[in-house]
Amino acid sequence: MNKDGAERRGLMLILSSPSGAGKTTLTKMLLQKKELDLTLSISDTTRKRRSSEADGIHYNFIPDPAEFTRRREAGDYLEYAEVHGNFYGTPRGPVEAILAQGRDVLFDIDYQGARQVREKMPRDVVTIFILPPSMRELRARLERRAEDSLETIVKRLENARHEIGRWADYDFVLINDDIQKTFDDLLAIVRSERLRRPRVAAGVEEFVSGLLAEQT
Ligand code: 5GP
């Protein structure tokens, strides 16, 4: 048990990819698998809400950039970054509360955020990069979404090239050419990372003392 009474340390599972590579779908699939008990970290953003999005569910939308700056300066963010001209930040409080219960948090953040979280909490972080099967498919997915203007799509494609270049910073890299296969790989990663010795050491220590105290 740790000091908060949890069996193991919570895991910070970071999923990054250029937009359109399937990360949102995969995040949804992970959250729907109830037995995994993953909690999604909901970011603050100054980006405008898309029609399919709800405040407090997909993001906490903060229309006033000055409010974002105020929160950042108050140290409210575990990490923050500017992406496609908007600000995004991970509120620190909810993440710390979930980890203290020994539960795992899922983050949909970019490579800049992944780097900051890894620097702050290296023992707890597992990073996964999702690659699209091709640039053509990435563009098609962005166009199908049809929620962004052509200008935004072009900007996102340009940015995707830059983001894809960061794949080697990550612990795991998955090529998403088959969503079910990618999901199965994600499950395998979560399950094995949960079993790593440093994460279960507290519980195992107690078990081992019992084992060794057993009369044979
Ligand atoms: P979108 O505007 O399409 O929802 O997200 C754009 C990018 O911002 C995505 O790559 C997403 O992972 C990233 N992002 C979302 N929230 C955060 C955050 O809190 N911090 C960082 N660093 N990136 C974020």
Side-chain angles (χ1 to χ4, degrees):
M1 297 260 178
N2 67 19
K3 67 178 173 39
D4 298 288
E7 286 290 330
R8 65 173 175 85
R9 290 178 67 82
L11 199 67
M12 304 170 88
L13 201 65
I14 300 184
L15 233 54
S16 299
S17 78
S19 12
K23 180 181 49 175
T24 309
T25 309
L26 290 162
T27 302
K28 246 188 237 159
M29 289 167 86
L30 283 171
L31 294 172
Q32 275 166 2
K33 203 154 175 77
K34 290 294 171 209
E35 66 269 30
L36 282 182
D37 187 31
L38 289 171
T39 307
L40 181 66
S41 162
I42 299 172
S43 300
D44 284 1
T45 183
T46 58
R47 166 165 78 61
K48 271 177 73 178
R49 188 176 65 80
R50 297 191 186 116
S51 56
S52 61
E53 293 173 327
D55 191 23
I57 293 179
H58 298 92
Y59 285 105
N60 303 308
F61 293 97
I62 303 192
D64 181 6
E67 173 57 17
F68 188 94
T69 307
R70 192 196 63 73
R71 293 185 189 189
R72 195 192 71 210
E73 286 175 353
D76 289 357
Y77 296 133
L78 190 59
E79 62 74 37
Y80 62 88
E82 188 178 347
V83 186
H84 311 132
N86 299 299
F87 290 99
Y88 297 81
T90 301
R92 181 188 297 276
V95 172
E96 286 179 350
I98 296 159
L99 291 177
Q101 296 166 19
R103 296 171 61 221
D104 304 335
V105 186
L106 183 62
F107 299 81
D108 171 344
I109 62 178
D110 81 333
Y111 69 91
Q112 307 174 78
R115 191 180 55 219
Q116 293 170 53
V117 180
R118 188 192 282 293
E119 274 166 16
K120 285 189 186 144
M121 298 155 110
R123 284 197 305 164
D124 302 322
V125 171
V126 178
T127 58
I128 305 167
F129 197 84
I130 316 274
L131 285 168
S134 66
M135 291 310 279
R136 182 193 290 249
E137 177 60 24
L138 189 75
R139 183 178 187 121
R141 287 183 195 170
L142 286 175
E143 284 172 354
R144 272 202 299 275
R145 192 156 79 184
E147 286 205 54
D148 297 313
S149 64
L150 182 62
E151 190 196 341
T152 304
I153 291 176
V154 169
K155 196 161 152 195
R156 280 174 184 259
L157 273 171
E158 254 170 47
N159 222 277
R161 292 184 179 277
H162 178 64
E163 287 174 45
I164 287 169
R166 308 308 293 241
W167 69 272
D169 298 348
Y170 284 73
D171 298 321
F172 296 93
V173 181
L174 304 177
I175 300 168
N176 185 24
D177 48 10
D178 175 327
I179 196 90
Q180 194 56 50
K181 157 96 176 54
T182 310
F183 181 59
D184 289 345
D185 288 343
L186 278 175
L187 287 183
I189 293 168
V190 175
R191 288 181 179 139
S192 17
E193 285 294 332
R194 283 179 170 177
L195 295 171
R196 270 190 199 271
R197 185 179 45 77
R199 301 208 169 96
V200 295
V204 174
E205 232 164 67
E206 207 172 298
F207 175 77
V208 169
S209 335
L211 260 191
L212 298 179
E214 241 179 66
Q215 298 299 323
T216 46

mmCIF file of all heavy atoms in Angstrom, residues 187-215:
data_model
loop_
_atom_site.group_PDB
_atom_site.id
_atom_site.type_symbol
_atom_site.label_atom_id
_atom_site.label_comp_id
_atom_site.label_asym_id
_atom_site.label_seq_id
_atom_site.Cartn_x
_atom_site.Cartn_y
_atom_site.Cartn_z
ATOM 1 N N LEU A 187 -4.116 -2.139 -25.345
ATOM 2 C CA LEU A 187 -4.494 -2.923 -24.157
ATOM 3 C C LEU A 187 -3.287 -3.677 -23.613
ATOM 4 O O LEU A 187 -3.065 -3.726 -22.397
ATOM 5 C CB LEU A 187 -5.588 -3.940 -24.509
ATOM 6 C CG LEU A 187 -6.985 -3.386 -24.742
ATOM 7 C CD1 LEU A 187 -7.959 -4.529 -25.011
ATOM 8 C CD2 LEU A 187 -7.471 -2.581 -23.537
ATOM 9 N N ALA A 188 -2.515 -4.245 -24.525
ATOM 10 C CA ALA A 188 -1.323 -5.005 -24.104
ATOM 11 C C ALA A 188 -0.341 -4.081 -23.382
ATOM 12 O O ALA A 188 0.257 -4.457 -22.361
ATOM 13 C CB ALA A 188 -0.663 -5.657 -25.315
ATOM 14 N N ILE A 189 -0.203 -2.872 -23.892
ATOM 15 C CA ILE A 189 0.718 -1.908 -23.267
ATOM 16 C C ILE A 189 0.229 -1.562 -21.857
ATOM 17 O O ILE A 189 0.991 -1.610 -20.888
ATOM 18 C CB ILE A 189 0.842 -0.633 -24.136
ATOM 19 C CG1 ILE A 189 1.544 -0.958 -25.453
ATOM 20 C CG2 ILE A 189 1.591 0.469 -23.379
ATOM 21 C CD1 ILE A 189 1.470 0.144 -26.498
ATOM 22 N N VAL A 190 -1.066 -1.230 -21.739
ATOM 23 C CA VAL A 190 -1.601 -0.835 -20.426
ATOM 24 C C VAL A 190 -1.424 -1.983 -19.432
ATOM 25 O O VAL A 190 -0.942 -1.784 -18.316
ATOM 26 C CB VAL A 190 -3.104 -0.451 -20.521
ATOM 27 C CG1 VAL A 190 -3.678 -0.154 -19.140
ATOM 28 C CG2 VAL A 190 -3.281 0.758 -21.426
ATOM 29 N N ARG A 191 -1.768 -3.191 -19.866
ATOM 30 C CA ARG A 191 -1.696 -4.329 -18.936
ATOM 31 C C ARG A 191 -0.271 -4.589 -18.496
ATOM 32 O O ARG A 191 -0.017 -4.834 -17.321
ATOM 33 C CB ARG A 191 -2.316 -5.571 -19.570
ATOM 34 C CG ARG A 191 -3.834 -5.427 -19.652
ATOM 35 C CD ARG A 191 -4.509 -6.632 -20.246
ATOM 36 N NE ARG A 191 -5.951 -6.428 -20.258
ATOM 37 C CZ ARG A 191 -6.746 -6.776 -21.253
ATOM 38 N NH1 ARG A 191 -6.257 -7.335 -22.339
ATOM 39 N NH2 ARG A 191 -8.043 -6.567 -21.171
ATOM 40 N N SER A 192 0.675 -4.537 -19.414
ATOM 41 C CA SER A 192 2.047 -4.847 -18.967
ATOM 42 C C SER A 192 2.656 -3.707 -18.164
ATOM 43 O O SER A 192 3.356 -3.953 -17.196
ATOM 44 C CB SER A 192 2.975 -5.273 -20.099
ATOM 45 O OG SER A 192 2.473 -4.928 -21.318
ATOM 46 N N GLU A 193 2.341 -2.473 -18.534
ATOM 47 C CA GLU A 193 2.902 -1.353 -17.767
ATOM 48 C C GLU A 193 2.390 -1.364 -16.323
ATOM 49 O O GLU A 193 3.095 -0.984 -15.406
ATOM 50 C CB GLU A 193 2.583 -0.022 -18.448
ATOM 51 C CG GLU A 193 3.414 0.238 -19.690
ATOM 52 C CD GLU A 193 4.906 0.414 -19.391
ATOM 53 O OE1 GLU A 193 5.240 0.860 -18.285
ATOM 54 O OE2 GLU A 193 5.727 0.090 -20.266
ATOM 55 N N ARG A 194 1.161 -1.821 -16.134
ATOM 56 C CA ARG A 194 0.610 -1.887 -14.774
ATOM 57 C C ARG A 194 1.348 -2.898 -13.911
ATOM 58 O O ARG A 194 1.317 -2.814 -12.692
ATOM 59 C CB ARG A 194 -0.869 -2.278 -14.826
ATOM 60 C CG ARG A 194 -1.748 -1.124 -15.236
ATOM 61 C CD ARG A 194 -3.191 -1.517 -15.298
ATOM 62 N NE ARG A 194 -4.042 -0.348 -15.465
ATOM 63 C CZ ARG A 194 -5.345 -0.384 -15.603
ATOM 64 N NH1 ARG A 194 -5.978 -1.539 -15.619
ATOM 65 N NH2 ARG A 194 -6.038 0.733 -15.720
ATOM 66 N N LEU A 195 1.988 -3.863 -14.560
ATOM 67 C CA LEU A 195 2.650 -4.933 -13.798
ATOM 68 C C LEU A 195 4.117 -4.648 -13.513
ATOM 69 O O LEU A 195 4.784 -5.446 -12.859
ATOM 70 C CB LEU A 195 2.542 -6.249 -14.582
ATOM 71 C CG LEU A 195 1.111 -6.776 -14.740
ATOM 72 C CD1 LEU A 195 1.079 -7.950 -15.703
ATOM 73 C CD2 LEU A 195 0.548 -7.186 -13.388
ATOM 74 N N ARG A 196 4.632 -3.527 -14.002
ATOM 75 C CA ARG A 196 6.053 -3.241 -13.774
ATOM 76 C C ARG A 196 6.366 -3.179 -12.290
ATOM 77 O O ARG A 196 5.579 -2.644 -11.514
ATOM 78 C CB ARG A 196 6.428 -1.906 -14.414
ATOM 79 C CG ARG A 196 6.882 -2.064 -15.819
ATOM 80 C CD ARG A 196 7.465 -0.771 -16.302
ATOM 81 N NE ARG A 196 7.504 -0.757 -17.742
ATOM 82 C CZ ARG A 196 8.528 -1.223 -18.460
ATOM 83 N NH1 ARG A 196 9.590 -1.706 -17.847
ATOM 84 N NH2 ARG A 196 8.481 -1.193 -19.764
ATOM 85 N N ARG A 197 7.542 -3.705 -11.948
ATOM 86 C CA ARG A 197 7.900 -3.827 -10.530
ATOM 87 C C ARG A 197 7.759 -2.540 -9.729
ATOM 88 O O ARG A 197 7.126 -2.549 -8.669
ATOM 89 C CB ARG A 197 9.312 -4.404 -10.375
ATOM 90 C CG ARG A 197 9.686 -4.657 -8.919
ATOM 91 C CD ARG A 197 11.057 -5.246 -8.790
ATOM 92 N NE ARG A 197 12.043 -4.566 -9.621
ATOM 93 C CZ ARG A 197 12.587 -3.396 -9.347
ATOM 94 N NH1 ARG A 197 12.237 -2.739 -8.269
ATOM 95 N NH2 ARG A 197 13.484 -2.866 -10.163
ATOM 96 N N PRO A 198 8.296 -1.402 -10.168
ATOM 97 C CA PRO A 198 8.184 -0.204 -9.326
ATOM 98 C C PRO A 198 6.728 0.180 -9.038
ATOM 99 O O PRO A 198 6.444 0.792 -8.030
ATOM 100 C CB PRO A 198 8.861 0.886 -10.157
ATOM 101 C CG PRO A 198 9.669 0.159 -11.170
ATOM 102 C CD PRO A 198 8.997 -1.136 -11.429
ATOM 103 N N ARG A 199 5.811 -0.193 -9.926
ATOM 104 C CA ARG A 199 4.411 0.200 -9.731
ATOM 105 C C ARG A 199 3.693 -0.713 -8.756
ATOM 106 O O ARG A 199 2.715 -0.324 -8.135
ATOM 107 C CB ARG A 199 3.653 0.207 -11.060
ATOM 108 C CG ARG A 199 4.287 1.146 -12.031
ATOM 109 C CD ARG A 199 3.368 1.741 -13.061
ATOM 110 N NE ARG A 199 4.112 2.796 -13.708
ATOM 111 C CZ ARG A 199 4.781 2.645 -14.865
ATOM 112 N NH1 ARG A 199 4.756 1.512 -15.520
ATOM 113 N NH2 ARG A 199 5.474 3.656 -15.339
ATOM 114 N N VAL A 200 4.174 -1.948 -8.619
ATOM 115 C CA VAL A 200 3.476 -2.884 -7.731
ATOM 116 C C VAL A 200 4.301 -3.204 -6.485
ATOM 117 O O VAL A 200 3.869 -3.968 -5.626
ATOM 118 C CB VAL A 200 3.131 -4.204 -8.467
ATOM 119 C CG1 VAL A 200 2.137 -3.944 -9.585
ATOM 120 C CG2 VAL A 200 4.376 -4.874 -9.007
ATOM 121 N N ALA A 201 5.485 -2.591 -6.401
ATOM 122 C CA ALA A 201 6.436 -2.981 -5.346
ATOM 123 C C ALA A 201 5.820 -2.949 -3.951
ATOM 124 O O ALA A 201 6.021 -3.874 -3.163
ATOM 125 C CB ALA A 201 7.672 -2.106 -5.407
ATOM 126 N N ALA A 202 5.029 -1.898 -3.643
ATOM 127 C CA ALA A 202 4.492 -1.759 -2.287
ATOM 128 C C ALA A 202 3.624 -2.968 -1.935
ATOM 129 O O ALA A 202 3.786 -3.571 -0.874
ATOM 130 C CB ALA A 202 3.700 -0.468 -2.180
ATOM 131 N N GLY A 203 2.726 -3.351 -2.847
ATOM 132 C CA GLY A 203 1.834 -4.486 -2.601
ATOM 133 C C GLY A 203 2.615 -5.789 -2.523
ATOM 134 O O GLY A 203 2.350 -6.651 -1.685
ATOM 135 N N VAL A 204 3.598 -5.941 -3.403
ATOM 136 C CA VAL A 204 4.350 -7.199 -3.459
ATOM 137 C C VAL A 204 5.216 -7.363 -2.208
ATOM 138 O O VAL A 204 5.377 -8.475 -1.696
ATOM 139 C CB VAL A 204 5.211 -7.255 -4.746
ATOM 140 C CG1 VAL A 204 6.100 -8.486 -4.741
ATOM 141 C CG2 VAL A 204 4.328 -7.254 -5.975
ATOM 142 N N GLU A 205 5.728 -6.264 -1.696
ATOM 143 C CA GLU A 205 6.563 -6.315 -0.491
ATOM 144 C C GLU A 205 5.815 -7.014 0.638
ATOM 145 O O GLU A 205 6.346 -7.913 1.285
ATOM 146 C CB GLU A 205 6.867 -4.885 -0.042
ATOM 147 C CG GLU A 205 8.336 -4.608 0.182
ATOM 148 C CD GLU A 205 8.576 -3.113 0.237
ATOM 149 O OE1 GLU A 205 8.095 -2.479 1.200
ATOM 150 O OE2 GLU A 205 9.209 -2.594 -0.708
ATOM 151 N N GLU A 206 4.567 -6.571 0.813
ATOM 152 C CA GLU A 206 3.722 -7.144 1.869
ATOM 153 C C GLU A 206 3.490 -8.634 1.602
ATOM 154 O O GLU A 206 3.600 -9.459 2.498
ATOM 155 C CB GLU A 206 2.393 -6.404 1.853
ATOM 156 C CG GLU A 206 1.673 -6.373 3.180
ATOM 157 C CD GLU A 206 0.475 -5.448 3.059
ATOM 158 O OE1 GLU A 206 0.675 -4.237 2.803
ATOM 159 O OE2 GLU A 206 -0.644 -5.943 3.180
ATOM 160 N N PHE A 207 3.221 -8.953 0.337
ATOM 161 C CA PHE A 207 2.963 -10.346 -0.036
ATOM 162 C C PHE A 207 4.194 -11.210 0.234
ATOM 163 O O PHE A 207 4.108 -12.298 0.781
ATOM 164 C CB PHE A 207 2.571 -10.413 -1.520
ATOM 165 C CG PHE A 207 2.392 -11.801 -2.040
ATOM 166 C CD1 PHE A 207 1.237 -12.520 -1.739
ATOM 167 C CD2 PHE A 207 3.382 -12.410 -2.800
ATOM 168 C CE1 PHE A 207 1.073 -13.819 -2.203
ATOM 169 C CE2 PHE A 207 3.230 -13.706 -3.256
ATOM 170 C CZ PHE A 207 2.075 -14.411 -2.960
ATOM 171 N N VAL A 208 5.350 -10.662 -0.130
ATOM 172 C CA VAL A 208 6.589 -11.431 0.031
ATOM 173 C C VAL A 208 6.899 -11.648 1.517
ATOM 174 O O VAL A 208 7.321 -12.750 1.906
ATOM 175 C CB VAL A 208 7.766 -10.748 -0.713
ATOM 176 C CG1 VAL A 208 9.103 -11.367 -0.340
ATOM 177 C CG2 VAL A 208 7.555 -10.839 -2.209
ATOM 178 N N SER A 209 6.621 -10.630 2.359
ATOM 179 C CA SER A 209 6.878 -10.858 3.799
ATOM 180 C C SER A 209 5.999 -11.993 4.296
ATOM 181 O O SER A 209 6.454 -12.829 5.076
ATOM 182 C CB SER A 209 6.582 -9.643 4.681
ATOM 183 O OG SER A 209 6.666 -8.489 3.983
ATOM 184 N N GLY A 210 4.743 -12.031 3.810
ATOM 185 C CA GLY A 210 3.844 -13.118 4.197
ATOM 186 C C GLY A 210 4.365 -14.459 3.709
ATOM 187 O O GLY A 210 4.399 -15.440 4.453
ATOM 188 N N LEU A 211 4.831 -14.473 2.456
ATOM 189 C CA LEU A 211 5.367 -15.714 1.859
ATOM 190 C C LEU A 211 6.508 -16.264 2.700
ATOM 191 O O LEU A 211 6.562 -17.440 3.034
ATOM 192 C CB LEU A 211 5.943 -15.382 0.479
ATOM 193 C CG LEU A 211 5.176 -15.663 -0.805
ATOM 194 C CD1 LEU A 211 6.103 -15.484 -1.996
ATOM 195 C CD2 LEU A 211 4.575 -17.056 -0.823
ATOM 196 N N LEU A 212 7.424 -15.323 3.054
ATOM 197 C CA LEU A 212 8.623 -15.752 3.764
ATOM 198 C C LEU A 212 8.339 -16.138 5.218
ATOM 199 O O LEU A 212 9.100 -16.903 5.817
ATOM 200 C CB LEU A 212 9.698 -14.665 3.687
ATOM 201 C CG LEU A 212 10.173 -14.352 2.263
ATOM 202 C CD1 LEU A 212 11.212 -13.243 2.247
ATOM 203 C CD2 LEU A 212 10.720 -15.590 1.565
ATOM 204 N N ALA A 213 7.212 -15.627 5.728
ATOM 205 C CA ALA A 213 6.877 -15.954 7.118
ATOM 206 C C ALA A 213 6.127 -17.298 7.202
ATOM 207 O O ALA A 213 5.928 -17.834 8.286
ATOM 208 C CB ALA A 213 6.002 -14.841 7.697
ATOM 209 N N GLU A 214 5.734 -17.806 6.017
ATOM 210 C CA GLU A 214 4.970 -19.070 5.999
ATOM 211 C C GLU A 214 5.833 -20.211 6.487
ATOM 212 O O GLU A 214 6.995 -20.331 6.106
ATOM 213 C CB GLU A 214 4.569 -19.349 4.548
ATOM 214 C CG GLU A 214 3.074 -19.402 4.322
ATOM 215 C CD GLU A 214 2.777 -19.654 2.852
ATOM 216 O OE1 GLU A 214 3.103 -20.753 2.351
ATOM 217 O OE2 GLU A 214 2.252 -18.740 2.197
ATOM 218 N N GLN A 215 5.278 -21.083 7.303
ATOM 219 C CA GLN A 215 5.994 -22.280 7.744
ATOM 220 C C GLN A 215 5.931 -23.326 6.627
ATOM 221 O O GLN A 215 4.874 -23.538 6.064
ATOM 222 C CB GLN A 215 5.340 -22.854 9.009
ATOM 223 C CG GLN A 215 5.381 -21.916 10.197
ATOM 224 C CD GLN A 215 6.803 -21.561 10.615
ATOM 225 O OE1 GLN A 215 7.705 -22.404 10.558
ATOM 226 N NE2 GLN A 215 7.011 -20.308 11.004
#
